[in-house]
Amino acid sequence: MKKPLEEAKWLSRSVMAARGEAGGVIKDERRISESDQGTYHYTIGRYAEPVLRVNPGTRIVVETKDAFEGKIETERHMPSELIEMPFTNPQNGPILVDGARKGDVLAVYIESIRPRGPQPRGTTCFLPEFGLLVGTDYTATLNEPLPETVRKVRVDEDGIGWSERITLPYTPFIGTIGVAPEIDSISSLWPGKHGGNMDLPDVSEGNVIYLPVRADDGYLYLGDCHATQGDGEICGVAIEMAAEVTLVVDLIRDWPIQWPRVESKDWIMSVGSVRPLEDAVRIAYRDLIYWMAEQYGFDQLEAYMLLTQCGRVRVGNVVDPNYTVGASIPRHYLA
Amino acid sequence: MKKPLEEAKWLSRSVMAARGEAGGVIKDERRISESDQGTYHYTIGRYAEPVLRVNPGTRIVVETKDAFEGKIETERHMPSELIEMPFTNPQNGPILVDGARKGDVLAVYIESIRPRGPQPRGTTCFLPEFGLLVGTDYTATLNEPLPETVRKVRVDEDGIGWSERITLPYTPFIGTIGVAPEIDSISSLWPGKHGGNMDLPDVSEGNVIYLPVRADDGYLYLGDCHATQGDGEICGVAIEMAAEVTLVVDLIRDWPIQWPRVESKDWIMSVGSVRPLEDAVRIAYRDLIYWMAEQYGFDQLEAYMLLTQCGRVRVGNVVDPNYTVGASIPRHYLA
Amino acid sequence: MKKPLEEAKWLSRSVMAARGEAGGVIKDERRISESDQGTYHYTIGRYAEPVLRVNPGTRIVVETKDAFEGKIETERHMPSELIEMPFTNPQNGPILVDGARKGDVLAVYIESIRPRGPQPRGTTCFLPEFGLLVGTDYTATLNEPLPETVRKVRVDEDGIGWSERITLPYTPFIGTIGVAPEIDSISSLWPGKHGGNMDLPDVSEGNVIYLPVRADDGYLYLGDCHATQGDGEICGVAIEMAAEVTLVVDLIRDWPIQWPRVESKDWIMSVGSVRPLEDAVRIAYRDLIYWMAEQYGFDQLEAYMLLTQCGRVRVGNVVDPNYTVGASIPRHYLA
Amino acid sequence: MKKPLEEAKWLSRSVMAARGEAGGVIKDERRISESDQGTYHYTIGRYAEPVLRVNPGTRIVVETKDAFEGKIETERHMPSELIEMPFTNPQNGPILVDGARKGDVLAVYIESIRPRGPQPRGTTCFLPEFGLLVGTDYTATLNEPLPETVRKVRVDEDGIGWSERITLPYTPFIGTIGVAPEIDSISSLWPGKHGGNMDLPDVSEGNVIYLPVRADDGYLYLGDCHATQGDGEICGVAIEMAAEVTLVVDLIRDWPIQWPRVESKDWIMSVGSVRPLEDAVRIAYRDLIYWMAEQYGFDQLEAYMLLTQCGRVRVGNVVDPNYTVGASIPRHYLA
């Protein structure tokens, strides 16, 4: 459900509107089609050729590919034969944001995420040694892997055809969105301080994600849209799809955040990504406390005690190299 | 908001109604007042004197104490001076359920949880070396502890007076409920396969919790009601209160579940408790898969793939000796 | 290799000699044969009938059974058919130590551990869903378990006959030794503050283990001797054997330790047991810092910095419900 | 203690000698002085300018800097004022190895590690929010950090002057050594499949480390020598020193290992780096099983059972972004 920036009234209360260089106004429109993008990227850093350079206040329409780059076209395709690591989870970008400097923050408002490509265009599957309920590369076991299995499903904006009996809701979000580290380049499969492969369902239409800039011009990447996903993305593969994503990018100066943050109409959220999962919860909640203190005047310990009573935890993924958690508080406690 | 068993129409679809000895009908009513209870218990096992013996199909009204046994009456009281470990988190019980045998399951429907005692009757606090965002007994650090702090709040069924500006909703639940292990006796501070100190907000009015019987007669204990709680109970202390809890207890024969399960009008949930947190998620989701397979005819791997798209995770606590997670699926996918 | 207390000269520097009620002198000798023991125990608490009451300064010879209670006699025996949980890991005891009170410490010097019973008397095996490199009850997976497998080996004090080519050294230790919690009763499969199933190879001949008393008279249990074991006990089953263990028990008044400690001729060690493994390392190292500060005059932060340069970590087990780690420092840094 | 390759007789049994392109013979000698290096690197990838290109069979003498790039000259220097993240842990390199291709392995034999620079040239310190026994960036807490503290010590090949009373042994090793990922670039503070900041004391004189090549020419980096270190490097900073390191680099074709491996005269070791620590143990032991199967003819499950009895675990670090563990087996079991 498209949520144009102009109609999102709550945005006036956002950091993006209050402190963004463009103040929540769209001054330019750009597009990155598949052919504009040409080469998709599998690592998030400042070593790739930019695909686009924009000013703060630009609406950008981006054609993303699915996490398998569209190679899994039927249920007879075996991912392990088609995918060679590390060339999975292709990203659009990098998009350079003029003037972004270390210590600044990119604000990205998500207007819409539309499925694209031929049906059945949704893909999920079991990959060998990947997922929460199997032995993996890291949680190394000697058990036999599960059988590789592919499932292709129809995806439309009014629903996902899981089976004759079950239709899943279309609740799309951006699985991977991030900015370049200062000197490293991070696999598009990893989430972290830079954002990346968070697989967090709250990075969705109508919300703003904030990403801490580390390299000049920010170097924004995105891809890996999901038509829907359960908490934790447990088999490791949501309903993956190619999408047309519409974003508005703005720039906030001198906001020294350490981890991604998200704002919606109803809540504010801090995001942590690390293993084990309790440390991701720690990161997210502590950052939320810092945010409540810095912007809403809470004493830190008062915020800690209050969140004990009303904080909410979203488990994004428990399958990627880092696990991702969002901790949030409803806005009505902040007023 | 009282939810009498007779009015809970969804219960007809529950395991409790379908397989309970009493079939969801109340045949007897009993009460455990504070004076009936006399001695409260700090360990859950079969070594304590029973306070009550009931048949399946009994409504029981129980007067629980708060986790500090009511000792923290003002904000000047220091918990560390009043509480001597392990004598905290007092439990009512044990309640013996006639005929319960290893391999059976106690079904407990929660009709109501009402606050009781003099105002301000809600208590939260910072305890030394306890909580998610401090060094603890297990996550041992050399940092100085936070200052011990107590907060007393008014609690009524229409809200919790956090501050002049903030009223928290009254969303009560039972923090600790469990049955005796076969031969061990487990601290009332621990959650585990036997239930116990799960601090899971879904153990609330209108829902059924299932607890796997290990010792003859089950030995049901409960206590530790919370007026409300955020996900994770991060400082370690929710809004603790004394309560009048109304339960209906039934018995299900030969249901070899390994971990607690919960049913509500809208979903079914499996519960796992262990460290690290990802293992609690693993336990909960795997048990949910088992449940979907055994009762609803899903192939296990099909259930795994479907939950990847629509499963929900509740983080109960990330502070107790084991962390507790509930994994759930909406009922409409199960029909 | 028997190490009689009288010949262990280093003991004069131990806490046992310096502060023990019996001051390192043997005043009495007792024996617990299999028939004396009669019923072995699977839970460590103060609810079982004592098998023996001793004064500090008593040498006790104990006939322990192996972790499977001797039921796995051949390689054709399937553990899952012979063992019904929780009736595994049988313990001798409880041995009451006269005068032991909460806040005191039992000191147990291990003189010898001798294999007993008919050959091949060593047993190791793969149990379903148990071990580091398989999905387990807690690290729950959907993979197929490994095949159940039993291996029986000859065990003598001069070696263990693993195969024609490989002889393993006989380096025996006590896998499980602990005291009763104050009010709980803990499965003999669990390690924790009370000691228990630590599976720590340093609990061996010639060393002293210290166990913090919680219940009056201490209630000492032991069993589960291993002929040898690798770090982590990764498949979950060392070379299990029945043994004749000779101990000397002493009592130290008012030593408020929280976790087990071990002394050898060459080092002092603190022991932590919890999940995840890094928290066990945290507990062990922090306790070792506390010990260095309290007994050897180190500033805590100085000890922290020094251990960074010379501390040693032993990984006991990474398979039991809690993982066990010992952190140690050579004595020559303490003088 | 210098261990020239020519005198290391055990090497004839190593993979390096058996399969190396240069077969354990030195054909060339090169040097990278501080001025040759010029710019040191803080990220390990293929995006930096090579400092040297060598053929397999080259001895290289490298002047490494300490982890703080020599900026902490006295105990009055505050690291937080001198170090700006991510510019810490400077690395020499990249050294390109001619002909190295993805699927090959770099073999690096360490001949000697000598301290260099003006005395006191050893540095350890407490950094804010870094270390095992404090709240950190990931294990986020609200406690006050420990005081920043610097300790400078004299380092010579015959000992480290910790205090008047305590001399620590000089047991030097390379804290950080690794090769470029295929497309990413990884902070020099991280250990992983590529090697990197493992802080593993077994990467020492007389041993060989094997690193799996991912990028053409390998791109070898190294630095961060430690004069000595305890298991876990618990405060996060060993005795850091500038060093003159002498290596011999060889190339092994088509050896598809996934993680670093180490060989010494007495044992073979696999290395895993990840959080939580038990997963690092899993990785290391599983890889060791794979190695025993592929090279020494063990059945995998036989190796698993044998390692349960005789495997050894070294905890390298429990403080870096990933924790590092080495699992080893003595050579005499492999013959």
Side-chain angles (χ1 to χ4, degrees):
Chain A
M1 189 172 51
K2 193 172 168 62
K3 299 190 177 173
L5 178 128
E6 300 86 345
E7 298 172 16
K9 299 215 177 83
W10 75 267
L11 266 180
S12 63
R13 285 177 293 154
S14 71
V15 179
M16 182 175 180
R19 299 185 49 189
E21 290 280 292
V25 179
I26 296 168
K27 301 173 172 177
D28 195 5
E29 308 218 4
R30 305 295 290 275
R31 184 174 185 92
I32 305 173
S33 67
E34 275 202 28
S35 63
D36 295 332
Q37 181 65 49
T39 303
Y40 285 71
H41 300 287
Y42 306 93
T43 185
I44 294 178
R46 59 182 178 75
Y47 303 104
E49 281 302 303
V51 66
L52 187 68
R53 176 181 281 273
V54 301
N55 286 311
T58 301
R59 170 183 281 149
I60 314 172
V61 179
V62 183
E63 289 183 357
T64 66
K65 292 193 173 179
D66 75 28
F68 304 108
E69 210 154 353
K71 292 176 185 166
I72 303 179
E73 296 173 354
T74 79
E75 296 188 350
R76 289 181 307 281
H77 280 140
M78 283 301 95
S80 64
E81 293 168 13
L82 294 168
I83 309 296
E84 190 199 6
M85 297 297 290
F87 302 100
T88 185
N89 201 16
Q91 299 296 305
N92 292 79
I95 300 166
L96 275 55
V97 180
D98 211 62
R101 295 291 172 268
K102 183 177 177 178
D104 296 344
V105 170
L106 289 197
V108 181
Y109 176 80
I110 303 164
E111 290 195 307
S112 70
I113 302 170
R114 290 177 161 162
R116 65 188 191 89
Q119 295 282 16
R121 56 197 175 195
T123 307
T124 184
C125 58
F126 295 148
L127 302 171
E129 303 223 312
F130 186 55
L132 179 69
L133 298 184
V134 297
T136 67
D137 208 19
Y138 289 163
T139 304
T141 70
L142 296 169
N143 301 101
E144 280 295 306
L146 297 187
E148 219 174 319
T149 308
V150 169
R151 185 150 189 166
K152 296 289 296 185
V153 293
R154 291 187 63 87
V155 173
D156 287 301
E157 291 189 61
D158 53 3
I160 301 159
W162 181 259
S163 66
E164 289 213 357
R165 189 170 63 73
I166 295 177
T167 300
L168 294 165
Y170 183 73
T171 54
F173 67 96
I174 303 172
T176 307
I177 184 166
V179 291
E182 189 160 359
I183 55 175
D184 304 324
S185 190
I186 299 178
S187 164
S188 61
L189 293 171
W190 281 71
K193 289 186 179 178
H194 70 299
N197 191 25
M198 296 174 284
D199 291 323
L200 184 71
D202 307 286
V203 184
S204 56
E205 294 171 327
N207 295 351
V208 185
I209 181 164
Y210 299 100
L211 297 162
V213 173
R214 291 290 173 255
D216 283 356
D217 298 325
Y219 284 76
L220 179 68
Y221 293 78
L222 71 149
D224 186 28
C225 289
H226 295 173
T228 196
Q229 184 195 293
D231 292 345
E233 199 190 12
I234 60 174
C235 86
V237 187
I239 304 295
E240 311 290 331
M241 65 174 187
E244 186 198 77
V245 178
T246 306
L247 309 167
V248 180
V249 175
D250 204 344
L251 177 65
I252 295 158
R253 296 270 179 219
D254 298 324
W255 190 24
I257 66 176
Q258 298 300 312
W259 290 91
R261 293 177 178 178
V262 182
E263 279 192 287
S264 87
K265 182 166 67 70
D266 297 322
W267 42 254
I268 67 171
M269 175 184 281
S270 286
V271 183
S273 296
V274 78
R275 292 186 180 202
L277 187 59
E278 56 263 36
D279 273 359
V281 181
R282 283 185 172 105
I283 290 169
Y285 262 125
R286 185 173 75 167
D287 187 72
L288 185 58
I289 289 168
Y290 289 168
W291 193 356
M292 289 168 68
E294 103 205 5
Q295 184 171 342
Y296 295 96
F298 282 84
D299 172 80
Q300 282 190 15
L301 296 187
E302 160 79 8
Y304 181 30
M305 203 175 246
L306 176 59
L307 286 170
T308 303
Q309 317 312 333
C310 69
R312 288 293 165 252
V313 168
R314 164 80 80 171
V315 174
N317 89 77
V318 208
V319 291
D320 296 322
N322 284 325
Y323 304 143
T324 298
V325 162
S328 64
I329 182 170
R331 281 190 180 279
H332 60 83
Y333 293 120
L334 302 172
Chain B
M1 187 172 52
K2 192 173 170 59
K3 299 190 177 174
L5 177 130
E6 299 86 345
E7 297 172 16
K9 299 218 177 81
W10 75 268
L11 265 181
S12 63
R13 285 177 292 154
S14 71
V15 179
M16 184 175 178
R19 298 184 50 187
E21 290 280 291
V25 178
I26 297 169
K27 300 173 174 179
D28 195 6
E29 309 218 3
R30 306 293 290 274
R31 185 175 186 90
I32 304 173
S33 67
E34 277 203 27
S35 62
D36 294 331
Q37 181 64 48
T39 303
Y40 285 71
H41 300 287
Y42 306 93
T43 186
I44 294 177
R46 59 181 176 77
Y47 302 103
E49 281 301 303
V51 66
L52 187 69
R53 175 181 281 272
V54 301
N55 287 310
T58 302
R59 171 181 280 147
I60 315 172
V61 179
V62 182
E63 289 183 359
T64 66
K65 291 191 173 181
D66 74 28
F68 304 108
E69 210 155 350
K71 292 175 185 166
I72 303 180
E73 296 173 354
T74 80
E75 297 188 349
R76 289 181 309 280
H77 280 141
M78 284 300 94
S80 63
E81 293 169 12
L82 294 169
I83 310 296
E84 189 200 4
M85 296 297 290
F87 303 100
T88 185
N89 201 15
Q91 300 295 304
N92 291 79
I95 300 167
L96 275 56
V97 179
D98 211 62
R101 295 291 172 269
K102 185 177 177 178
D104 297 343
V105 169
L106 289 197
V108 181
Y109 177 79
I110 303 164
E111 292 196 305
S112 70
I113 301 170
R114 291 178 160 161
R116 64 186 190 91
Q119 296 281 15
R121 55 196 176 193
T123 306
T124 184
C125 58
F126 295 149
L127 302 172
E129 302 223 312
F130 186 55
L132 179 68
L133 298 183
V134 296
T136 67
D137 207 19
Y138 289 164
T139 304
T141 70
L142 296 168
N143 302 101
E144 280 295 306
L146 298 186
E148 219 174 318
T149 309
V150 169
R151 185 149 186 167
K152 296 290 295 184
V153 293
R154 291 187 63 88
V155 172
D156 286 300
E157 292 188 59
D158 53 3
I160 301 158
W162 181 259
S163 66
E164 288 213 358
R165 190 171 62 73
I166 295 177
T167 299
L168 294 164
Y170 183 74
T171 55
F173 66 96
I174 303 173
T176 306
I177 183 167
V179 291
E182 190 161 357
I183 54 175
D184 303 325
S185 189
I186 300 178
S187 163
S188 61
L189 293 171
W190 282 71
K193 290 185 179 178
H194 70 298
N197 191 24
M198 297 176 284
D199 291 325
L200 184 72
D202 306 287
V203 184
S204 56
E205 291 171 329
N207 294 351
V208 185
I209 182 163
Y210 300 100
L211 297 163
V213 172
R214 290 292 172 254
D216 283 356
D217 299 324
Y219 283 76
L220 179 68
Y221 292 78
L222 72 147
D224 187 27
C225 290
H226 296 174
T228 195
Q229 184 195 293
D231 292 345
E233 198 190 15
I234 59 174
C235 86
V237 187
I239 304 296
E240 311 289 332
M241 65 174 186
E244 185 199 76
V245 178
T246 306
L247 309 167
V248 180
V249 176
D250 204 345
L251 177 65
I252 295 159
R253 297 270 178 217
D254 298 323
W255 191 23
I257 66 176
Q258 297 301 311
W259 290 90
R261 294 178 177 176
V262 181
E263 281 193 286
S264 87
K265 183 165 67 70
D266 296 322
W267 42 254
I268 67 171
M269 175 183 282
S270 287
V271 183
S273 297
V274 77
R275 295 185 177 200
L277 188 59
E278 55 264 37
D279 273 359
V281 182
R282 284 185 172 105
I283 290 168
Y285 261 125
R286 185 172 76 165
D287 187 72
L288 185 58
I289 289 167
Y290 289 169
W291 193 358
M292 289 167 67
E294 102 204 6
Q295 184 171 342
Y296 295 96
F298 283 84
D299 172 79
Q300 282 189 16
L301 297 186
E302 160 79 8
Y304 182 31
M305 202 176 247
L306 175 60
L307 286 171
T308 304
Q309 317 311 334
C310 68
R312 289 292 166 254
V313 168
R314 163 80 80 171
V315 175
N317 89 77
V318 209
V319 291
D320 295 323
N322 285 324
Y323 304 144
T324 298
V325 161
S328 63
I329 182 170
R331 282 190 179 279
H332 59 83
Y333 293 119
L334 302 172
Chain C
M1 188 171 53
K2 193 171 168 62
K3 299 190 177 175
L5 178 130
E6 298 87 343
E7 298 172 16
K9 299 217 178 81
W10 74 267
L11 265 181
S12 64
R13 285 177 292 153
S14 71
V15 179
M16 184 175 178
R19 299 184 49 188
E21 291 279 294
V25 178
I26 296 168
K27 301 174 172 178
D28 194 6
E29 307 218 5
R30 305 293 291 274
R31 185 176 185 90
I32 305 173
S33 67
E34 276 202 29
S35 63
D36 294 332
Q37 181 64 49
T39 304
Y40 285 70
H41 300 287
Y42 305 94
T43 186
I44 294 177
R46 60 181 176 77
Y47 302 104
E49 282 300 303
V51 65
L52 187 69
R53 175 181 282 273
V54 301
N55 287 311
T58 302
R59 170 182 281 148
I60 315 172
V61 179
V62 183
E63 290 184 358
T64 66
K65 292 192 173 181
D66 75 27
F68 304 108
E69 210 155 352
K71 292 175 185 166
I72 303 180
E73 296 174 354
T74 80
E75 296 189 349
R76 289 182 307 282
H77 280 141
M78 283 301 95
S80 63
E81 293 169 12
L82 294 168
I83 309 297
E84 190 200 5
M85 297 296 291
F87 302 101
T88 185
N89 201 16
Q91 299 297 303
N92 292 79
I95 299 166
L96 275 55
V97 180
D98 211 63
R101 294 292 171 269
K102 184 177 178 179
D104 297 344
V105 170
L106 289 197
V108 181
Y109 176 78
I110 303 165
E111 290 195 307
S112 71
I113 302 170
R114 291 179 159 162
R116 64 188 191 91
Q119 295 282 15
R121 57 196 174 194
T123 306
T124 183
C125 58
F126 295 149
L127 302 171
E129 303 223 312
F130 186 56
L132 180 68
L133 298 184
V134 296
T136 67
D137 206 20
Y138 289 164
T139 303
T141 70
L142 296 168
N143 301 101
E144 280 295 305
L146 298 186
E148 220 174 318
T149 308
V150 169
R151 185 150 189 165
K152 296 289 295 186
V153 293
R154 289 188 64 89
V155 172
D156 287 301
E157 291 188 61
D158 52 3
I160 301 160
W162 180 259
S163 66
E164 289 212 358
R165 190 170 62 74
I166 295 177
T167 299
L168 295 165
Y170 183 74
T171 54
F173 66 97
I174 303 173
T176 307
I177 184 167
V179 290
E182 189 161 359
I183 54 174
D184 303 325
S185 189
I186 300 178
S187 163
S188 62
L189 294 170
W190 282 70
K193 290 185 179 177
H194 70 299
N197 190 24
M198 297 175 284
D199 291 324
L200 184 72
D202 307 287
V203 184
S204 55
E205 293 170 328
N207 295 351
V208 185
I209 182 163
Y210 300 100
L211 298 163
V213 173
R214 290 291 173 254
D216 283 357
D217 299 324
Y219 283 77
L220 179 68
Y221 293 78
L222 71 147
D224 187 27
C225 289
H226 296 173
T228 195
Q229 184 194 293
D231 292 345
E233 199 192 13
I234 60 174
C235 86
V237 186
I239 304 295
E240 310 289 331
M241 65 174 187
E244 185 198 76
V245 178
T246 306
L247 309 167
V248 180
V249 176
D250 204 343
L251 176 65
I252 296 158
R253 297 271 178 217
D254 298 323
W255 192 23
I257 67 176
Q258 299 298 311
W259 290 90
R261 294 178 177 176
V262 182
E263 280 193 287
S264 87
K265 182 167 67 71
D266 297 322
W267 41 254
I268 66 170
M269 174 183 282
S270 287
V271 183
S273 296
V274 78
R275 294 185 177 201
L277 188 59
E278 56 264 36
D279 273 358
V281 182
R282 284 185 172 106
I283 289 169
Y285 262 124
R286 185 173 74 166
D287 188 72
L288 184 58
I289 289 167
Y290 288 168
W291 193 358
M292 290 167 67
E294 102 204 7
Q295 184 171 343
Y296 295 95
F298 282 84
D299 172 80
Q300 283 190 13
L301 296 186
E302 161 80 8
Y304 181 32
M305 202 175 247
L306 176 60
L307 287 171
T308 303
Q309 316 312 334
C310 69
R312 288 294 166 253
V313 167
R314 163 81 80 171
V315 174
N317 90 79
V318 208
V319 291
D320 295 322
N322 285 324
Y323 304 143
T324 298
V325 161
S328 64
I329 182 170
R331 281 189 180 280
H332 60 84
Y333 294 120
L334 302 172
Chain D
M1 188 172 52
K2 193 172 169 60
K3 300 191 176 173
L5 178 128
E6 299 86 344
E7 299 172 16
K9 299 216 176 81
W10 74 267
L11 264 181
S12 63
R13 286 177 291 154
S14 72
V15 180
M16 184 174 178
R19 299 184 50 188
E21 290 281 291
V25 178
I26 297 169
K27 301 172 173 178
D28 195 7
E29 307 218 5
R30 305 292 291 275
R31 184 176 185 90
I32 304 172
S33 68
E34 277 202 28
S35 63
D36 295 331
Q37 181 63 48
T39 304
Y40 285 71
H41 301 287
Y42 306 94
T43 185
I44 294 178
R46 59 181 178 76
Y47 302 103
E49 282 301 303
V51 66
L52 188 67
R53 175 181 282 272
V54 300
N55 287 312
T58 302
R59 171 182 280 148
I60 315 171
V61 179
V62 183
E63 290 182 358
T64 65
K65 292 192 174 180
D66 75 28
F68 305 108
E69 210 154 352
K71 292 175 185 166
I72 304 181
E73 297 174 354
T74 78
E75 297 189 349
R76 289 181 309 280
H77 280 142
M78 284 300 94
S80 63
E81 291 169 13
L82 294 168
I83 310 297
E84 189 199 7
M85 297 296 292
F87 303 101
T88 185
N89 201 15
Q91 299 296 304
N92 290 79
I95 300 166
L96 275 54
V97 180
D98 211 61
R101 295 291 171 268
K102 183 177 178 178
D104 297 344
V105 169
L106 289 196
V108 182
Y109 176 79
I110 303 164
E111 291 196 307
S112 70
I113 301 169
R114 290 177 162 164
R116 64 187 192 90
Q119 296 280 17
R121 54 197 177 193
T123 307
T124 184
C125 58
F126 295 148
L127 301 171
E129 303 222 313
F130 186 56
L132 179 69
L133 299 184
V134 297
T136 68
D137 207 18
Y138 290 164
T139 304
T141 69
L142 296 169
N143 301 101
E144 280 296 305
L146 298 187
E148 219 174 320
T149 309
V150 169
R151 185 150 188 166
K152 296 289 295 184
V153 293
R154 291 187 63 89
V155 173
D156 286 302
E157 292 188 61
D158 53 4
I160 301 159
W162 180 260
S163 65
E164 290 213 356
R165 189 170 62 74
I166 295 177
T167 299
L168 295 165
Y170 182 73
T171 55
F173 66 97
I174 303 173
T176 307
I177 184 167
V179 292
E182 189 161 359
I183 53 175
D184 303 324
S185 189
I186 300 179
S187 164
S188 61
L189 293 172
W190 281 71
K193 290 185 179 178
H194 70 299
N197 191 25
M198 296 174 285
D199 290 324
L200 184 72
D202 307 287
V203 184
S204 56
E205 294 170 328
N207 295 350
V208 186
I209 181 162
Y210 300 100
L211 298 163
V213 172
R214 292 289 173 254
D216 283 356
D217 299 324
Y219 284 76
L220 180 68
Y221 292 79
L222 71 149
D224 187 27
C225 289
H226 295 172
T228 195
Q229 185 195 293
D231 292 345
E233 198 190 13
I234 59 174
C235 88
V237 187
I239 303 296
E240 312 289 332
M241 66 174 186
E244 186 199 74
V245 178
T246 306
L247 309 167
V248 180
V249 176
D250 204 343
L251 177 65
I252 295 158
R253 297 269 178 218
D254 299 323
W255 191 24
I257 66 175
Q258 298 300 310
W259 290 90
R261 292 178 178 176
V262 182
E263 279 193 288
S264 87
K265 183 166 65 71
D266 297 321
W267 41 254
I268 66 171
M269 176 184 281
S270 287
V271 184
S273 296
V274 77
R275 294 186 179 200
L277 187 59
E278 55 263 38
D279 273 359
V281 182
R282 284 185 172 106
I283 290 168
Y285 262 124
R286 185 172 76 166
D287 188 72
L288 185 58
I289 289 168
Y290 289 169
W291 193 358
M292 289 167 67
E294 103 206 5
Q295 184 172 341
Y296 296 95
F298 282 85
D299 172 79
Q300 282 190 17
L301 297 187
E302 161 79 9
Y304 181 30
M305 204 175 245
L306 176 59
L307 286 171
T308 304
Q309 316 312 335
C310 68
R312 288 293 166 255
V313 168
R314 164 80 80 171
V315 175
N317 90 76
V318 208
V319 291
D320 295 323
N322 285 325
Y323 304 143
T324 298
V325 162
S328 63
I329 182 170
R331 282 189 179 279
H332 60 83
Y333 293 120
L334 302 172

